[in-house]
Amino acid sequence: MNGNRKNIYLILGLIIIFYGLSFPASVYDWTGNLYEMIEDSILYNDAGLLLKASFFYITWNVFTFMMIYSGSMLMAMAVSTDKNSPYYQLSFALIVLLNVFIYNMIYSEHESFLLHMVISAAFLLLQLFIPKQPFSVLPQLIILFLILVSFSWLDLSPGLTRADLGSDDFAASLKVADSYLSEYKILNNLSLSFFFVFSILSLIFTVLIYLFSKQILTIKKVQKQEKELKETRDALLETNVYKEIHTLVHDLKTPLVTVEGLISLLELKVTQDEKASTYFNKINAATAKMKEMISEILSEDIKQEIGVEDFIGYVTSHISFDHVQIDFNLTIDEHVSPIKVNKIRFARALSNVIENAMLSLGDQKGYIHLEVEGIDNGVLFRVEDNGPGIEKRNMNKIWEEGFSTKNSSGVGMPFVKQVVENHQGAIRVSSIPNEKTTVEIFLPY
Amino acid sequence: MKKYYGIFILSCLAVIVGIYQSATGVKEYTPMWPNLPAPIGEEPILITSAGQGAEGAVVHLMVKRLNLNADYRPRALATDLYEYKTIILYTGFSKNGVNKTYRDFQEEKTRIRRMITYANHNQIPIILIHLGGPMRDDRRTMDLVREALPYSNYFIGKRNMVQGKDILDITENNRLPITLVSHTKDILTPLNSVFR
Ligand SMILES: Nc1ncnc2c1ncn2[C@@H]1O[C@H](COP(=O)(O)OP(=O)(O)O)[C@@H](O)[C@H]1O
């Protein structure tokens, strides 16, 4: 995929450069006109015509080098797509200079390497301030255009002839013509003013693009924050609901005690009936169970002894594997002794781990293995899946409340940890992305 | 900071190239003969080009200003010379100009050589003018100058040149009068002295 893309950049760049290099040859008729325009401006002593010829020359020059530079940009992107990397920058400059060399060879011209080094450096510098965005190509081309226009005018600056600028054919003709017509007044003024105007334009444009993208960035940030705010609000609402349920459950205890008391009174009164006493036993068992459940919901510390198979049955009965392509596999060691846990909370923790594994697999085909093993002084629950896994850099973050890669609340893993630690247990997560992810919960007796 | 490395290296290179160029590039040369002792040319005059640079029209403009009887024919051939008593040859190679005449550089050089041979044979004086100075100092222009200069009678050029030493050497070896000026307009004085 990546290599393919680089090849596309390379080929596209070569094609554009080819067009750029052959452009002057394809407009020989037109440049013939330019030549005559310069000659006529001298013969008829016509400064206006000289001005016009200068504009034509700049247009022609910018057009050619626009293609050469943008082609070089694409080719340099085949080396590195990172505009900040020195590899990209130096390859860009090298390709540009190479093309200037080829251009000079083909057309027996004298484009200045120095000027093109300066143009490349200026463009690369401004490019740093254009942030990466899907449509950043256009601003880059506009900046390239402005820089090329501004520096092309330097070719016509008589003062810079010393630095070997503007010894190409038309620039030389124009300058010699002007040296006689106005003693360099026209070109001096023209080239410097246009150089400054376009340099400043390119700077302003870069600053505008920079500010604009920053604005977009802040808008995006604000949107994200708003979303997070909404989520926490929802979470708060949820906890409030839980609190209400909590008080409700708590309030259930009072009528239940009343019922219990009245039943025991009734039992004393109705002793001789066989049938009635079995009914009473059943009612007592039911109320006892209800009391137990209420206490368990209300208190984290209440623990009960439960067989591992029963417990796992309770956990898995709440999870449905029907609609997913997941191969669920369960192995329970035969000799595991019963565990003592807060059934509701510990089951919620374990099912959370299993659900995480399921969610990570998504619609993918995959497996989830749940193993329960008795070891020295406790029980080990192991949940293993072969989903995308957790990247190394996120490994520590999963314990933070609010961390989530799937845009959800991110309170799952912290809850699991809290529950496990409440049971004096330990939890360990290891992951080889796309191979296997294992969550191990150790519960001591 | 890493993002400035490439640009920094490039800028350093540019500075080095710039320093190198200003050290080896344009120099000011002063001629041995500042002026012509006596007129050497007569009218009518043919103004023609060696290299077809568009700026050659400037020579025509100057000759007109001196009220001399001259024809501006950049592409004249040796066979056109019989009408004239002096040739002003201006040097400056322009790829675009040569292209317009449907010739190539070698053909242009041959045209000059034939013209020089004819002129020397018929004792028509040749005045060589190099207007471009450092802007037209390329290899091909200097090729044309070397072709024509030893057979010319007078050289007028610019003080600022890159290849000025070559020109001074040739004029010295051939004992040719030479005048170098600072500004293009200053050519008028030596040009006038050729004829009056
Ligand atoms: N089995 C797993 N496979 C891959 N990633 C997992 C797994 N379990 C947890 N994670 C990662 O841990 C993050 C935090 O999980 P959790 O705290 O349960 O929050 P949430 O489920 O709301 O995202 C998940 O977003 C996910 O990236």
Side-chain angles (χ1 to χ4, degrees), chain A residues 263 266-267 270 273-287:
Chain A
I263 293 282
L266 256 180
E267 203 179 356
V270 197
D273 196 332
E274 272 283 306
K275 240 181 183 169
S277 83
T278 47
Y279 289 158
F280 278 125
N281 281 344
K282 275 189 181 167
I283 291 172
N284 278 332
T287 44

Side-chain angles (χ1 to χ4, degrees), chain A residues 356-357 360 385 389-390 398 403-406 408-414 437:
Chain A
N356 269 347
S360 83
D385 69 79
I390 306 163
I398 59 171
F403 172 77
S404 171
T405 54
K406 38 188 196 258
S408 67
S409 63
V411 294
M413 293 307 279
T437 303

Side-chain angles (χ1 to χ4, degrees), chain A residues 173-196:
Chain A
S173 303
L174 283 166
K175 282 195 275 190
V176 177
D178 188 41
S179 74
Y180 184 70
L181 292 184
S182 76
E183 301 203 323
Y184 290 137
K185 266 192 209 102
I186 298 178
L187 286 186
N188 246 335
N189 292 334
L190 210 63
S191 70
L192 290 183
S193 1
F194 275 102
F195 169 70
F196 282 118

Side-chain angles (χ1 to χ4, degrees), chain B residues 64-98:
Chain B
K64 256 184 19 193
R65 198 155 144 186
L66 293 172
N67 283 320
L68 294 168
N69 172 16
D71 284 336
Y72 172 63
R73 295 168 70 177
R75 301 177 214 173
L77 298 174
T79 46
D80 301 324
L81 292 186
Y82 62 92
E83 301 173 38
Y84 302 101
K85 291 210 171 115
T86 310
I87 299 173
I88 295 181
L89 195 62
Y90 61 85
T91 45
F93 171 73
S94 153
K95 168 87 175 170
N96 294 291
V98 172

Side-chain angles (χ1 to χ4, degrees), chain B residues 46-49 73-78 80-81 103 111 115:
Chain B
L46 172 71
I47 304 168
T48 189
S49 164
R73 295 168 70 177
R75 301 177 214 173
L77 298 174
D80 301 324
L81 292 186
R103 293 207 195 87
R111 182 180 75 89
M115 229 155 41

